[in-house]
Amino acid sequence: IECEVIKEAIEHIEWVPPEPEPFCQPSSHEQAPAGSSEEQGTVVYHLNPVPPGSCFTRARAGGAPGPLSSPAVSLEGPQDTTLLFESRFESGNLQKAVKVGPYEYVLTLRPDLYTAKHTQWFYFRVQNTRRDAVYRFTIANLAKPKSLYGEGMRPLLYSQ
C-alpha cells in the first residue's frame, strides 16, 4: 500500500576508504539535539504514514500505480539552502525530515519490517548541499539497546 518507487535510478558510490572509520570521541562540547516537534521546525520531507497494524500487504513491480506524490518541499530559488531528501528506492527508510535550523534536521526513520519497531540502519539521499557547510542530522528514532552508535560509531556518509 505504501510502496511508491521513484523511476530515477539511484547511483551508488563505489568507494572503499583507505583506513577504517574511527569511532567518534565525544568532546563534551556537543550541543543537545533539537526537539523533533513540527512546531520547532518545517517539515521538508514526509511520506504518508503506514496504516496502523499493517506491515506489507501487497507488492507491485515498480511501486504503487498512479502518479508519484511529492514528499519533499520545493526550493524557492538557487539561494534556498533547504536540503532535498529522497528515500523512495529499494532499502530507503526515511519517513520524515524536519528542518529545525539553517543546517540542522531531525529525521524519523521507518521501522524495520518484522521487528519490534527497531530502526538500526538508515538509507536515504540528500541533495542541494553547500560546500563548507556543517550539517547536523539528529535521527530521532535510531534507538536499539546495545547499538554500536551508543558506543561512538559514526554514520557513514558519501558525497560527490
Side-chain angles (χ1 to χ4, degrees):
I1 290 176
E2 83 272 2
C3 184
E4 185 177 43
V5 181
I6 59 174
K7 299 213 182 290
E8 171 185 344
I10 299 298
E11 294 183 32
H12 302 278
I13 301 171
E14 298 295 333
W15 177 75
V16 177
E19 298 177 12
E21 179 184 359
F23 282 117
C24 177
Q25 299 300 321
S27 67
S28 74
H29 297 293
E30 289 84 6
Q31 297 176 354
S36 61
S37 171
E38 292 178 25
E39 294 88 36
Q40 297 176 352
T42 304
V43 177
V44 296
Y45 182 84
H46 189 228
L47 289 175
N48 291 330
V50 179
S54 72
C55 284
F56 189 78
T57 56
R58 67 176 181 223
R60 177 182 169 88
L68 289 174
S69 63
S70 179
V73 297
S74 299
L75 296 177
E76 296 178 6
Q79 300 304 321
D80 191 345
T81 61
T82 302
L83 295 181
L84 299 174
F85 292 87
E86 184 58 79
S87 190
R88 294 174 296 172
F89 47 82
E90 185 176 356
S91 298
N93 67 338
L94 181 64
Q95 179 73 42
K96 184 176 178 182
V98 179
K99 184 176 183 178
V100 295
Y103 299 104
E104 186 171 356
Y105 296 82
V106 175
L107 310 178
T108 304
L109 304 175
R110 294 169 63 160
D112 298 345
L113 292 176
Y114 313 114
T115 69
K117 301 291 184 196
H118 289 307
T119 51
Q120 52 190 339
W121 57 277
F122 48 89
Y123 193 41
F124 53 90
R125 179 180 74 189
V126 179
Q127 292 177 303
N128 201 37
T129 57
R130 302 289 192 236
R131 183 183 306 269
D132 298 325
V134 176
Y135 294 95
R136 180 176 183 156
F137 295 154
T138 300
I139 302 178
N141 63 337
L142 187 65
K144 179 184 172 205
K146 299 184 181 180
S147 170
L148 288 177
Y149 292 110
E151 301 296 324
M153 186 172 76
R154 295 184 297 179
L156 181 60
L157 169 77
Y158 287 117
S159 176
Q160 286 184 322

